[in-house]
Amino acid sequence: MNTSDAPGHYALFPTELGICGIAWRDGHVISTNLPEPSEAEIRDRLVRRSGGAEPGTPPQWVRQAIDAITALLAGNPNDLAFIPCDYGQADDFRVKIYQLTRTIPPGETTTYGDIAERLGNKRFAQAVGQAMGHNPLPIIVPCHRVMGANGKLTGFSANGGIETKLRMLDIERAAIGAEAGLFGHLPLAIKPK
């Protein structure tokens, strides 16, 4: 699904989570990045994932994507489905996984198994998990909204791991697990253990 061999451009931008990054080419976002320990690490990852993107000034459509991402990470339940994406070297199966993941609304979660079922076979759950671990477009492809069986938190490949995943879900006020319990309306950071 790669639209071009041109390297494209990237930009960094501030969010509630910290500095994030976005790379684009030929009218499509080709990579996004959550905060890393340093801006240099964000730039390096964007350049590597994009095949050599260079710094650039975001065109209007990328600016709109950045604004929507920034608002989402500030707690506004923005739908990022309008952002055109190029999934790079992902095969058709992974592209389907990413497209299904993009349909999960802010504030909601699903499981690897549920996505696998939507793909036609519950046994694809492990493949769904592997695709999430290689997601080139975190935030736009909201892999943080995908859980293990029964809402179990599993690994998260972004810097900060599960803590970052929980923070993102907390910003979105997402319920984790089947139903919210007695303290389900409270932010994750202050729920009783």
Side-chain angles (χ1 to χ4, degrees), residues 74-157:
N76 298 316
N78 284 1
D79 180 0
L80 305 179
F82 75 93
I83 301 172
C85 296
D86 179 338
Y87 301 101
Q89 302 304 314
D91 60 30
D92 290 343
F93 184 69
R94 280 202 176 165
V95 169
K96 286 180 187 175
I97 292 170
Y98 297 144
Q99 289 170 337
L100 283 172
T101 303
R102 289 187 76 185
T103 68
I104 306 165
E108 294 184 23
T109 59
T110 193
T111 66
Y112 300 112
D114 290 338
I115 292 175
E117 270 189 52
R118 290 178 65 189
L119 290 165
N121 190 330
K122 188 104 173 162
R123 286 184 268 184
F124 292 154
Q126 185 174 12
V128 171
Q130 290 171 348
M132 294 299 129
H134 292 93
N135 178 8
L137 297 158
I139 307 169
I140 296 173
V141 175
C143 54
H144 64 282
R145 298 179 191 150
V146 184
M147 309 288 164
N150 300 317
K152 181 180 177 188
L153 291 172
T154 57
F156 189 58
S157 60

Side-chain angles (χ1 to χ4, degrees), residues 23-24 28 34 37 52-55 68 75-77 84 98-99 106 132 136 148 151 174 176-178:
W24 66 92
H28 294 84
L34 291 166
E54 300 173 355
N76 298 316
Y98 297 144
Q99 289 170 337
M132 294 299 129
I176 298 175

